[in-house]
Amino acid sequence: MRFRALLSGSLCLLACGLSAAEFSWPQWRGPDRTDVSQETGLLREWPESGPKLVWTFEDAGVGYSSFAVVDGKLYTLGARNQTEFILCLDLADARELWAAELGPQLKNGYGDGPRGTPTVDGDRVYALGGQGILVCVALNGGSVIWKVDMKDFGGRRPGWGYCESVLVDGNMVVCTPGGGKGTMLALDKSNGEKIWQSEDITDGAHYASIMSADIHGEHQYIQLTQNTLFGIAAKDGKLLWKSPWPPGRTAVVPTPIVRGNEVYITSGYGAGCKLVRINEDYTAEDVYFNTEMKNHHGGVVLIGDYLYGHSDAGWICQDFATGETKWRERNKLGKGCLTAADGMLYCVDERSGVVALVEATSEAYTERGRFTLPRRSDNAAKNTVWTHPVVVNGKLYLRDQELIFCYDVSAK
């Protein structure tokens, strides 16, 4: 009986451990790059004062990097003393475990420092700095394993710096140097050696991150530049299809959204949005184009049949299939970014620092609580909060430059 009790207790601990480790956020916009968590058991309404603040970390450096969260550790990028770093924090107490040098600090009138989010894969972390230096470091300790520069592959740094969060897929790291040698690049993730570069398309890099997808039996990588939406064969870097994006101007930022054989894109500066269908012969046809969604850089999420995000004229819910706007809210919350979990939207107003909990429903904009960040950074250009929030394992992570905040949003 004692053996059975010990065995039962051990199995319970193992199960609890597995459950606790079940949810991770290893890269930009989560495991599948949709920014929609599969986690449940979260608060459906916040108290008047907002959820409980667990800890604040005050030395993340300057920059707009979001978070990767894996096995009790948080990874982000930040610049200190003119140098960009990959940072690793212990989630239990916000203690910094290591900082790995990424490259020289990006200087920019809209805020210095790195923009991309690190990617955790196995026992390594991969990150692209604002100047275009891609680094692979050891998960344990942060020692540099290999490093390459986008300019060595024909890349030219875009105006606001490299903002991409690199994709790790199979044995490859896939990124977008842009330029005459090929817009997209695949490297061997073990050593940084080139596997292929997409010579069929030579657009310059903009600010979106790559999505992977399987369409009509072909594993491929989908990217958006200022002028073109396109798909590249994962096996050899050949161009499979492309669709023009003539409205793209100034800065094309949001990550494409893929469902089945359809791809949704949007960008700001008055550009708009469109849905593209990829046919079996790899022709790409527009299903619709309109200016209902004009998303700057706060991102858009797809939940069920509806898209949510901030357009130039407020927060909107848009029908994915038709492009029709279901609701629009212009006044209750300012422009910003979002993530989604457990049927709720976590929306951040970039100017005020207000964080709102909003129902992910096509019926109406309905808030279920809000709070304001307790402190603001003195380093934020234009006084803006641009880092995308992350919700994982019952915690909400927010950032304003060097300040990182952890809130408990679990209902348990």
Side-chain angles (χ1 to χ4, degrees):
M1 290 295 291
R2 183 172 181 273
F3 173 76
R4 287 184 179 180
L6 288 171
L7 179 61
S8 176
S10 299
L11 289 174
C12 179
L13 288 171
L14 178 60
C16 291
L18 287 173
S19 176
E22 180 181 354
F23 294 103
S24 65
W25 202 262
Q27 61 178 329
W28 168 243
R29 290 171 61 91
D32 54 6
R33 295 200 158 200
T34 64
D35 224 347
V36 179
S37 171
Q38 300 305 306
E39 189 166 347
T40 58
L42 305 177
L43 289 171
R44 308 288 297 176
E45 191 165 356
W46 289 342
E48 186 173 345
S49 59
K52 178 184 176 182
L53 177 63
V54 179
W55 52 253
T56 302
F57 181 73
E58 302 179 348
D59 194 23
V62 296
Y64 299 105
S65 175
S66 187
F67 316 109
V69 179
V70 178
D71 291 339
K73 309 293 190 301
L74 179 147
Y75 303 87
T76 191
L77 310 181
R80 301 167 173 168
N81 301 318
Q82 313 305 313
T83 301
E84 295 180 357
F85 292 91
I86 307 172
L87 307 176
C88 174
L89 308 184
D90 189 318
L91 292 181
D93 54 11
R95 177 169 45 95
E96 183 176 313
L97 299 177
W98 53 259
E101 186 172 323
L102 183 56
Q105 177 178 317
L106 174 74
K107 298 285 189 177
N108 190 273
Y110 279 80
D112 298 338
R115 281 93 162 95
T117 298
T119 300
V120 178
D121 178 73
D123 60 357
R124 298 184 177 191
V125 184
Y126 302 82
L128 180 66
Q131 299 278 17
I133 297 174
L134 172 57
V135 175
C136 168
V137 306
L139 191 73
N140 184 16
S143 58
V144 176
I145 298 170
W146 56 259
K147 179 185 297 190
V148 299
D149 194 325
M150 292 298 100
K151 68 182 181 182
D152 294 333
F153 301 95
R156 182 178 179 181
R157 190 187 76 199
W160 284 285
Y162 279 99
C163 298
E164 180 179 19
S165 303
V166 299
L167 174 69
V168 179
D169 186 50
N171 69 325
M172 297 189 296
V173 181
V174 192
C175 57
T176 313
K181 293 183 179 180
T183 302
M184 194 181 292
L185 170 70
L187 303 172
D188 187 317
K189 72 178 184 182
S190 67
N191 56 26
E193 295 294 324
K194 185 173 84 169
I195 296 175
W196 52 252
Q197 195 160 357
S198 59
E199 299 175 357
D200 299 334
I201 185 164
T202 56
D203 289 9
H206 248 238
Y207 309 99
S209 293
I210 296 166
M211 283 291 290
S212 66
D214 294 286
I215 299 177
H216 302 308
E218 184 80 45
H219 190 52
Q220 56 194 266
Y221 303 126
I222 296 170
Q223 180 59 300
L224 177 65
T225 67
Q226 186 174 12
N227 305 116
T228 316
L229 172 70
F230 61 94
I232 296 293
K235 61 187 177 186
D236 57 14
K238 299 298 182 183
L239 180 67
L240 293 171
W241 57 269
K242 64 179 180 179
S243 177
W245 185 234
R249 56 180 69 91
T250 310
V252 173
V253 185
T255 301
I257 293 174
V258 184
R259 186 172 76 174
N261 66 330
E262 294 180 325
V263 184
Y264 174 92
I265 57 172
T266 179
S267 60
Y269 299 94
C273 64
K274 77 172 181 175
L275 183 68
V276 178
R277 179 175 296 123
I278 314 305
N279 298 314
E280 290 188 12
D281 61 356
Y282 284 111
T283 56
E285 62 172 312
D286 287 2
V287 178
Y288 60 78
F289 165 77
N290 64 46
T291 54
E292 294 299 297
M293 180 74 80
K294 293 173 283 188
N295 187 262
H296 188 196
H297 50 58
V300 176
V301 297
L302 173 63
I303 302 175
D305 293 326
Y306 300 101
L307 298 149
Y308 303 88
H310 189 276
S311 188
D312 285 354
W315 293 86
I316 75 168
C317 170
Q318 184 181 29
D319 189 300
F320 178 86
T322 67
E324 174 192 3
T325 294
K326 305 302 290 184
W327 56 252
R328 185 185 305 273
E329 175 50 59
R330 301 174 186 268
N331 302 315
K332 293 181 180 178
L333 191 70
K335 173 188 170 189
C337 52
L338 81 166
T339 190
D342 201 9
M344 307 297 283
L345 308 174
Y346 296 73
C347 305
V348 182
D349 184 323
E350 67 178 32
R351 294 286 185 183
S352 68
V354 167
V355 184
L357 184 68
V358 179
E359 290 185 9
T361 172
S362 61
E363 299 301 316
Y365 176 96
T366 305
E367 275 193 31
R368 294 302 182 189
R370 62 165 54 196
F371 67 94
T372 302
L373 292 179
R375 294 171 55 189
R376 295 297 301 277
S377 171
D378 294 329
N379 293 314
K382 315 297 182 184
N383 194 33
T384 48
V385 181
W386 284 344
T387 295
H388 286 223
V390 164
V391 175
V392 61
N393 292 323
K395 301 297 191 296
L396 166 64
Y397 299 97
L398 302 161
R399 178 178 180 178
D400 184 13
Q401 297 287 319
E402 76 277 9
L403 302 172
I404 299 177
F405 306 95
C406 172
Y407 287 85
D408 188 348
V409 293
S410 173
K412 299 175 183 177

